[in-house]
Amino acid sequence: MTYWAVRQRLGRRGVPLLLLGIGHVSWGAGFITVPGADQRGMTGPLAVVPLEWRAWVWVVCGAVAVVSAFVPEGRDRWGYIAAVMPPLAFSFGYAWTALDTGHLRAVFLSLWYLLTQALLILWAASVAEYSIPRRKGGSRRTPSLYLFGVGMISWSIGFVAAPGASTRGVEPLLDLMPMRGWAAAWFLVGLVTLSCIMLPEGPDRWGFIGAAALPLVWGCGYGWEWITGGYGRGGFVCLFYLVSQAGMAVWASGVPEYEMPRWAQERRV
């Protein structure tokens, strides 16, 4: 089956399900295959569940999302429901931790899982396979820029608020610039992404470029550390950042603000 045949089979709604599914499986598989992964940072109900069980939830939900990517609109809702469950649970877990321990970074980790994963998945689920002209006063692309921008800012503040946070796996990037410098870069790019909300379709692509660029760099850092044998989970985390973060930003940039309905397109052919 050729690339274009697969692309046509996936359609507009299938692509994010495939990306999210691969990312979820990679994220969970990294914890399963590397038993010594860091388990600190979460208290409350989720902390009682063994890390390996939580990892299997990511894998199973990711597999459901991948399968659902190839089914028609309507029946693919189960893929979106499965995809949103793990990040929503982790967002709740870190929010509980923040309230329980007062740990500042847990607040921003909760926001990161909520914004760049859970709410972004719900936004993707709302995108129709064939859209109709934009409703008055609405926007299809703006919500994703909000989520990417605020998510990146939350991610950066989390590292500034907790300077001792683990940076395992990104040592190659830290050789280029200290963690505070990278946090500042994420913060500034997040602001640029948010500022592009005011731009029309076309010029707003710079917001999507920023939303994809830093996760791409971050994923490459993990990948290089894995290739050189420095971090066992690096390959899985690399794939997660490349597909679930950078890949979703690229897909979102291709969602049109409005387009002709399908019947009109077919009439023109």
Side-chain angles (χ1 to χ4, degrees):
M1 185 177 288
T2 65
Y3 165 79
W4 290 111
V6 173
R7 182 67 181 84
Q8 187 175 14
R9 177 70 176 177
L10 287 171
R12 177 175 293 157
R13 290 170 57 85
V15 172
L17 278 176
L18 184 63
L19 294 173
L20 292 165
I22 294 173
H24 280 29
V25 171
S26 300
W27 192 249
F31 287 105
I32 295 170
T33 57
V34 185
D38 191 359
Q39 302 184 45
R40 299 171 297 173
M42 188 180 292
T43 62
L46 277 185
V48 179
V49 181
L51 180 62
E52 186 175 348
W53 292 12
R54 285 181 266 159
W56 274 110
V57 171
W58 282 87
V59 171
V60 171
C61 289
V64 172
V66 169
V67 172
S68 299
F70 295 91
V71 303
E73 181 178 4
R75 286 187 287 171
D76 63 357
R77 64 180 179 275
W78 298 109
Y80 285 104
I81 291 172
V84 79
M85 288 172 59
L88 197 59
F90 269 57
S91 177
F92 166 77
Y94 280 112
W96 184 293
T97 301
L99 293 173
D100 185 38
T101 65
H103 186 41
L104 279 179
R105 187 160 186 255
V107 176
F108 299 105
L109 280 173
S110 175
L111 286 173
W112 183 79
Y113 275 108
L114 180 66
L115 296 169
T116 64
Q117 286 286 302
L119 292 183
L120 186 66
I121 292 169
L122 294 178
W123 171 78
S126 72
V127 174
E129 187 66 39
Y130 297 96
S131 66
I132 59 176
R134 182 182 60 182
R135 66 186 185 278
K136 184 178 180 180
S139 175
R140 300 181 67 198
R141 295 159 64 90
T142 295
S144 63
L145 286 174
Y146 268 121
L147 297 173
F148 285 126
V150 179
M152 295 175 79
I153 290 172
S154 298
W155 189 98
S156 67
I157 295 176
F159 274 101
V160 174
S166 175
T167 55
R168 179 87 184 275
V170 291
E171 285 81 357
L173 298 179
L174 298 181
D175 292 338
L176 301 175
M177 186 164 56
M179 190 60 224
R180 284 187 175 272
W182 284 108
W186 281 80
F187 186 89
L188 292 175
V189 173
L191 288 179
V192 171
T193 300
L194 286 176
S195 67
C196 289
I197 290 171
M198 308 302 296
L199 301 177
E201 181 179 2
D204 67 352
R205 65 182 177 275
W206 296 108
F208 292 105
I209 290 172
L214 275 180
L216 181 63
V217 171
W218 215 244
C220 289
Y222 277 107
W224 181 255
E225 187 69 3
W226 174 69
I227 291 172
T228 57
Y231 188 43
R233 286 185 61 227
F236 297 104
V237 180
C238 167
L239 193 56
F240 172 81
Y241 273 102
L242 294 184
V243 297
S244 284
Q245 300 294 300
M248 283 296 291
V250 172
W251 172 79
S253 70
V255 174
E257 192 61 49
Y258 61 91
E259 65 183 356
M260 295 173 62
R262 180 168 56 176
W263 62 266
Q265 295 177 13
E266 292 173 348
R267 179 174 294 181
R268 290 187 64 183
V269 172

